[in-house]
């Protein structure tokens, strides 16, 4: 077994309360990947091409990571309750920002609606054509792709959805989920097997310790909201690593879709821009969520928790902090390098995503190469005299209302399972 395979979780030294803060942050970060990626897709391929990229990336990624989370948290099944539990732990539906509400009628019938949709808040100012692209063109095939991970005969269909009439219609949308053996499953997307056989899909993470205080699974009733602090520390570590894999799997789908539409150099440039935009905003939110400062110690903490570098058994990335400063070591052989996801987009001449991460902690940080060998790229960070201007990629991602979104304590969640 290689060294990266034996790496402990990058979240293993966090407390249960810190992890309960971190997991919803990671879910929101995963959702905001598209605020960065789709902006550059529009520039390269137009609105219709952007919609095609979004459909393809979610179709190939969401069934893979949905099944992973079901197995990890012990809620495998073939009914609507299992579908809804999966959505609660899906970067496509981060809690509160995408405020899904659920109703289960029976094993094969249910409804959900959104009391708040952060994605719609981002897109409505862009006009009706973009709303239709998201709420019609993209949602129809991708909702079904997520549901069929649980049951191939599940169909998600709208009761109503945007464009909103009247303009302040609430809830913003509502959908039925029906499982019927007569439903014909949609065709398997062209690149699904590539993602399903990826290194990210095959990563084996540490099992949840059943003796750890708190909930060790989600095998109980469907809850109106997940209160992450109710889960055990071990379960939260597993969730965090699984959510980071969702980031990588979605990015893999994105890069495959972009690569089918652009020459290699142009596709890599779009990938790096997507990476830089979400890298910087995520670093900033992680720093604030964990109550960190803006010095080297804070930078090291943020880099260790960043989804780009986790799970460690997949990326092999090391973050060291010593008197000489913070060092990041990116191995040139790892599962992430094989899949050609985020770490593979970094080299000695393409460091913008690392600059963006560091400047999410302190705008004066700048990255520099320490060593570049056949085995690894090692970089360090220095403080410049004056702060750098925010990069265009981060500024684009900050367009989302998710940039400043605040999670709220909703108290004790209600069970929704039909008795």
């Amino acid at each position: 077994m290689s060294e990266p395979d034996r790496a402990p979780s990058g979240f293993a030294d966090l407390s249960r309360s810190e992890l309960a803060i971190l997991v919803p942050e990671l879910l929101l970060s995963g959702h905001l990947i598209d605020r960065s990626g789709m902006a550059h897709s529009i520039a390269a391929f137009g609105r219709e091409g952007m919609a095609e990229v979004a459909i393809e990336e979610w179709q190939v990624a969401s069934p893979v990571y949905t099944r992973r989370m079901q197995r990890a948290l012990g809620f495998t099944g073939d009914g609507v309750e299992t579908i809804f539990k999966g959505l609660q732990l899906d970067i496509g539906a981060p809690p509160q920002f995408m405020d899904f509400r659920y109703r289960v009628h029976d094993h094969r019938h249910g409804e959900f609606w959104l009391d708040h949709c952060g994605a719609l808040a981002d897109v409505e100012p862009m006009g009706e054509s973009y709303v239709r692209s998201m709420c019609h063109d993209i949602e129809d095939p991708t909702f079904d792709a997520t549901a069929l991970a649980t049951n191939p005969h599940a169909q998600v269909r709208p009761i109503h959805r945007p464009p909103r009439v009247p303009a302040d219609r609430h809830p913003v949308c509502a959908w039925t989920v029906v499982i019927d053996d007569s439903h014909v499953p949609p065709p398997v997307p062209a690149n699904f097997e590539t993602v399903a056989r990826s290194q990210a899909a095959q990563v084996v993470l540490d099992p949840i310790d059943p003796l750890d205080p708190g909930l060790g699974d989600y095998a109980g009733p469907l809850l109106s909201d997940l209160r992450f602090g109710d889960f055990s520390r071990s379960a939260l570590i597993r969730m965090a690593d699984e959510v980071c894999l969702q980031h990588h799997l979605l990015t893999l789908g994105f890069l495959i879709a972009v690569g089918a539409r652009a020459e290699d150099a142009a596709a890599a440039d779009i990938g790096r821009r997507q990476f830089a935009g979400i890298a910087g905003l995520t670093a900033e939110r992680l720093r604030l969520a964990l109550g960190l400062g803006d010095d080297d110690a804070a930078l090291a903490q943020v880099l260790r928790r960043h989804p780009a570098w986790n799970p460690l058994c997949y990326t092999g990335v090391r973050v060291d902090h010593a008197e000489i400063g913070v060092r990041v070591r990116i191995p040139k052989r790892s599962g992430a390098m094989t899949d050609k996801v985020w770490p593979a987009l970094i080299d000695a001449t393409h460091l913008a995503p690392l600059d963006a991460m560091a400047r999410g902690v302190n705008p004066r940080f700048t990255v520099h190469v320490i060593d570049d060998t056949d085995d690894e790229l090692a970089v360090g960070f220095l403080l410049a005299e004056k702060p750098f201007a925010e990069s265009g990629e981060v500024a684009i991602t900050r367009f989302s209302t998710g940039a400043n979104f605040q999670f709220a304590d909703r108290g004790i969640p209600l069970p929704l399972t039909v008795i």
Side-chain angles (χ1 to χ4, degrees), residues 56-79:
E56 291 175 22
E57 66 169 350
W58 288 99
Q59 276 187 319
V60 298
S62 67
V64 175
Y65 66 62
T66 295
R67 293 181 184 123
R68 283 192 59 97
M69 191 67 84
Q70 288 174 347
R71 294 192 297 269
L73 273 295
F75 61 92
T76 54
D78 63 359

Side-chain angles (χ1 to χ4, degrees), residues 19-32 88 90-91 93-99 116 225-226 228 285-286 288-290 401-411:
L19 288 160
I21 293 170
L22 186 72
V23 171
E25 283 291 339
L26 293 173
L27 285 164
L28 179 56
S29 168
H31 187 80
L32 296 180
Q88 290 178 315
D90 187 322
I91 58 174
Q96 301 181 23
F97 183 69
M98 302 292 290
D99 197 8
H116 172 76
D225 295 279
L226 286 187
F228 291 94
R285 286 194 59 95
L286 291 177
L288 294 172
L290 295 174
T401 57
N404 298 311
F405 186 80
Q406 298 293 316
F407 294 102
D409 182 356
R410 292 189 166 178

Side-chain angles (χ1 to χ4, degrees), residues 83 144 147-148 150-157 177-180 183 186:
I83 293 171
D144 276 352
L148 68 81
T150 297
N151 193 310
H153 300 290
Q155 286 186 350
V156 182
R157 296 293 181 267
V177 182
V178 176
I179 298 170
D180 191 303
H183 292 163

Side-chain angles (χ1 to χ4, degrees), residues 289-304:
L290 295 174
L292 302 173
D294 62 358
D295 57 4
D296 279 356
L299 176 62
Q301 287 288 339
V302 168
L303 292 175
R304 286 172 183 147

Side-chain angles (χ1 to χ4, degrees), residues 135-278:
C135 300
H136 294 246
D137 301 341
I138 296 172
E139 294 292 22
D140 284 353
T142 56
F143 269 149
D144 276 352
T146 299
L148 68 81
T150 297
N151 193 310
H153 300 290
Q155 286 186 350
V156 182
R157 296 293 181 267
I159 300 171
H160 68 83
R161 55 179 163 178
R164 292 193 282 174
V165 179
D168 60 349
R169 185 171 189 174
H170 187 83
V172 298
C173 67
W175 304 74
T176 63
V177 182
V178 176
I179 298 170
D180 191 303
D181 291 343
S182 68
H183 292 163
V184 178
V188 176
N191 292 299
F192 175 75
E193 289 301 325
T194 300
V195 175
R197 293 195 300 265
S198 68
Q199 295 293 306
Q202 308 305 319
V203 167
V204 176
L205 296 170
D206 291 337
I208 295 169
D209 182 355
L211 301 180
D212 205 13
L215 293 174
D217 56 41
Y218 193 13
L222 171 71
L223 300 173
S224 57
D225 295 279
L226 286 187
R227 190 165 60 175
F228 291 94
D230 291 342
F231 287 89
S232 71
R233 183 172 170 275
S234 176
L236 289 167
I237 290 170
R238 179 62 182 269
M239 280 186 206
D241 275 327
E242 290 287 353
V243 173
C244 291
L245 282 173
Q246 292 186 18
H247 287 64
H248 292 292
L249 285 161
L250 185 66
T251 295
L252 176 57
F254 173 76
L255 293 172
I256 290 172
V258 169
R261 292 165 171 80
E263 298 294 331
D264 289 350
D269 181 66
I270 293 170
R272 291 188 182 101
R273 289 177 181 276
Q274 177 244 43
F275 185 11
I278 190 60

Side-chain angles (χ1 to χ4, degrees), residues 214-407:
L215 293 174
D217 56 41
Y218 193 13
L222 171 71
L223 300 173
S224 57
D225 295 279
L226 286 187
R227 190 165 60 175
F228 291 94
D230 291 342
F231 287 89
S232 71
R233 183 172 170 275
S234 176
L236 289 167
I237 290 170
R238 179 62 182 269
M239 280 186 206
D241 275 327
E242 290 287 353
V243 173
C244 291
L245 282 173
Q246 292 186 18
H247 287 64
H248 292 292
L249 285 161
L250 185 66
T251 295
L252 176 57
F254 173 76
L255 293 172
I256 290 172
V258 169
R261 292 165 171 80
E263 298 294 331
D264 289 350
D269 181 66
I270 293 170
R272 291 188 182 101
R273 289 177 181 276
Q274 177 244 43
F275 185 11
I278 190 60
L281 187 59
T282 297
E284 178 183 310
R285 286 194 59 95
L286 291 177
R287 181 184 76 83
L288 294 172
L290 295 174
L292 302 173
D294 62 358
D295 57 4
D296 279 356
L299 176 62
Q301 287 288 339
V302 168
L303 292 175
R304 286 172 183 147
R305 318 309 173 194
H306 204 287
W309 312 135
N310 287 285
L312 298 183
C313 60
Y314 176 60
T315 72
V317 172
R318 290 172 49 200
V319 179
D320 302 317
H321 178 212
E323 290 184 6
I324 57 173
V326 178
R327 300 288 184 264
V328 174
R329 304 181 186 279
I330 303 173
K332 295 187 177 179
R333 285 177 290 277
S334 69
M337 287 293 182
T338 300
D339 287 343
K340 300 180 181 179
V341 290
W342 282 333
L345 298 176
I346 299 291
D347 60 39
T349 58
H350 296 96
L351 301 173
L354 279 162
D355 268 330
M357 279 186 209
R359 292 169 192 168
V361 176
N362 186 322
R364 292 170 54 207
F365 274 124
T366 185
V367 65
H368 64 99
V369 174
I370 296 172
D371 201 8
D372 186 13
T373 69
D374 291 341
D375 295 323
E376 71 173 18
L377 173 68
V379 301
F381 300 86
L382 299 172
L383 277 174
E385 290 186 7
K386 296 181 180 180
F388 293 90
E390 183 170 76
S391 72
E393 290 80 7
V394 175
I396 287 171
T397 313
R398 193 182 297 282
F399 165 80
S400 172
T401 57
N404 298 311
F405 186 80
Q406 298 293 316
F407 294 102

